[in-house]
Amino acid sequence: MYYTNDTIIFHNGSYVKAKEASTDLYAQSLHYGYGVFEGIRAYQTVNGVKIFKAEEHYERLKRSCALVGIPFHYSVEELEQISYQVLRKNNFSDAYIRPLVYCSPNMSLTSPKEVYLMICAWEWGKYLGDQNLRLCISSYQRPNPKSIRIEAKVSGHYVNSILATSEAKQRGFDEALMLDMEGNVAEGPGANFFLEKDGVLFTPSLGHILPGITRHTVLQICKELDIPVFEKKIKPEELAEADGAFYCGTAAEVVGIESIEGKPFAKSWKNTHGPIIQEAYKNLVLEKSFSHVLI
Ligand code: PMP
C-alpha cells in the first residue's frame, strides 16, 4: 500500500488527498513513457527529519526534463520546500519521496503544452533488503545511449529495468546485473555497481549508466576514507576474479553482493571494504559522525 485514506500528496499546485487526486487517461506520459521522475529518501537524523541530497535530486529532475525537452519551471528551492511539506503533512520521517513530472494529453510525438507535477511520499524500508544479493547477468543490455538520454531519469527507460528484474526473479535470483551494448558491466536495474579487487574499488565509467547520486557519494566516502577507487570499463571476465562487490542507490543504499550467476567472490563480505562503506553511508544519511568507522 502506497497510500491510505488520509495520505496527502502535492499535485499541480495544491496539497490534496492521494485518494481524491486524478489524472487524464490521455496524458502523453501514460502512453509513451514520456515523463521524468526521481527517487529520494528522507531520514530521521540526529538533527531532525532530513531529505538526503535533496538539491542534487531536484537538479537531476530538472536536468532530466531539459535533456528530453519537457518544459518544467519549478525551482530546486520550491521543490525542496514542497517535499518537506508533504513529509510534514503526512507526519513521515523515514520515507521515500517520489516526484513525477508528467505531460498533458497529447497523442502526437511532440513536446507537451502543459506539464504536471506530483510529489508523493511513503514510509519505506530498504528496497533490496538487508541480505546480500544473489545476482544473475541479465540477457537485457542497458539501452544504447545514442537512442535515449541515458543520464536522464525518464519513466519509459524503466521498461528495460522491469524486464531485467523480472527475468532475474523468474530465474530464482534476487536481482540482475546488466551489461552495456559494448558488453561491459553497466549497472543494476535501479542501482550502480562497485567491484573490489586487491583492496581497490572499481565502478563503471559514465556513458552507459545513470549517474547515481549514491555512486557519487560513495566515491566521496572512498576519498575521505583513503580507499582507492577508479572509474573504468569493467569486463564481465573481471567479475569472476573480484574479491567482492556491492550495489548502491538511494533506495538500495549500499548493499553487498553475495554471488553472480551462483559464483561467490574470493573474499567474504566482511573482509572487503563493503561493510565500512555501508556503515559510512548510513552515518552520512543519518548525519552521524564518521569517526568510529575510521578506526
Ligand atoms: N541506476 C539506475 C538505473 C537507477 O534507477 C538508479 C536509482 N535512481 C540508480 C542507478 C542509482 O541512482 P541514485 O543513487 O541517484 O539513486
Side-chain angles (χ1 to χ4, degrees):
M1 265 299 271
Y2 294 100
Y3 61 91
T4 66
N5 287 344
D6 302 320
T7 305
I8 303 289
I9 66 168
F10 177 87
H11 193 212
N12 295 330
S14 41
Y15 297 91
V16 293
K17 286 198 167 178
K19 227 181 154 193
E20 287 160 16
S22 67
T23 189
D24 195 315
L25 288 176
Y26 293 73
Q28 195 183 22
S29 306
L30 200 53
H31 292 254
Y32 305 133
Y34 187 51
V36 158
F37 71 100
E38 266 303 321
I40 312 176
R41 284 278 287 258
Y43 293 90
Q44 177 68 58
T45 77
V46 288
N47 304 310
V49 176
K50 294 285 182 70
I51 301 174
F52 187 63
K53 305 259 173 181
E55 192 180 339
E56 286 85 343
H57 281 282
Y58 281 121
E59 271 166 6
R60 186 170 66 187
L61 185 78
K62 285 172 69 70
R63 198 163 56 245
S64 294
C65 287
L67 281 165
V68 297
I70 294 177
F72 182 65
H73 304 299
Y74 282 87
S75 70
V76 169
E77 295 71 30
E78 283 173 309
L79 294 163
E80 280 187 48
Q81 277 168 18
I82 295 165
S83 305
Y84 276 108
Q85 278 294 335
V86 169
L87 291 176
R88 240 173 265 134
K89 285 178 189 292
N90 290 292
N91 206 16
F92 289 161
S93 46
D94 291 294
Y96 185 84
I97 303 166
R98 167 53 55 83
L100 172 68
V101 179
Y102 68 101
C103 303
S104 55
N106 178 12
M107 289 300 133
S108 65
L109 303 177
T110 54
S111 260
K113 292 206 172 56
E114 263 190 274
V115 171
Y116 308 130
L117 168 68
M118 90 101 142
I119 299 182
C120 64
W122 58 89
E123 286 177 304
W124 209 28
K126 281 199 176 190
Y127 174 45
L128 297 168
D130 287 321
Q131 291 285 318
N132 285 357
L133 303 172
R134 295 168 307 114
L135 303 188
C136 65
I137 305 275
S138 185
S139 70
Y140 296 99
Q141 294 177 339
R142 287 296 288 156
N144 179 344
K146 289 190 174 162
S147 303
I148 54 156
R149 304 308 294 255
I150 194 84
E151 66 275 46
K153 204 162 162 61
V154 174
S155 303
H157 296 179
Y158 282 80
V159 175
N160 174 251
S161 297
I162 291 169
L163 288 171
T165 298
S166 305
E167 181 193 57
K169 303 248 183 230
Q170 272 161 20
R171 289 186 57 205
F173 292 93
D174 298 318
E175 189 51 287
L177 173 62
M178 283 192 277
L179 307 183
D180 64 28
M181 59 174 288
E182 291 164 357
N184 295 310
V185 174
E187 63 182 329
N192 289 114
F193 180 77
F194 280 78
L195 171 151
E196 180 173 329
K197 175 73 182 162
D198 297 331
V200 181
L201 289 180
F202 300 96
T203 193
S205 338
L206 299 183
H208 294 265
I209 60 170
L210 185 83
I213 289 162
T214 319
R215 175 185 178 276
H216 185 71
T217 307
V218 167
L219 291 173
Q220 283 177 328
I221 288 173
C222 289
K223 214 183 249 181
E224 204 139 335
L225 297 181
D226 275 334
I227 296 171
V229 60
F230 297 95
E231 299 175 66
K232 73 169 193 96
K233 289 187 182 203
I234 299 175
K235 302 227 169 301
E237 301 84 83
E238 293 175 60
L239 300 173
E241 316 258 287
D243 293 330
F246 59 84
Y247 267 162
C248 69
T250 299
E253 300 177 319
V254 176
V255 59
I257 297 170
E258 182 186 303
S259 60
I260 300 180
E261 291 287 345
K263 190 181 178 310
F265 291 101
K267 288 188 181 175
S268 70
W269 171 245
K270 66 177 183 354
N271 294 330
T272 64
H273 291 311
I276 295 165
I277 292 165
Q278 197 173 45
E279 171 133 19
Y281 184 77
K282 228 179 245 175
N283 287 337
L284 196 60
V285 299
L286 298 177
E287 301 192 351
K288 288 185 181 165
S289 149
F290 257 13
S291 53
H292 72 283
V293 298
L294 285 170
I295 304 160

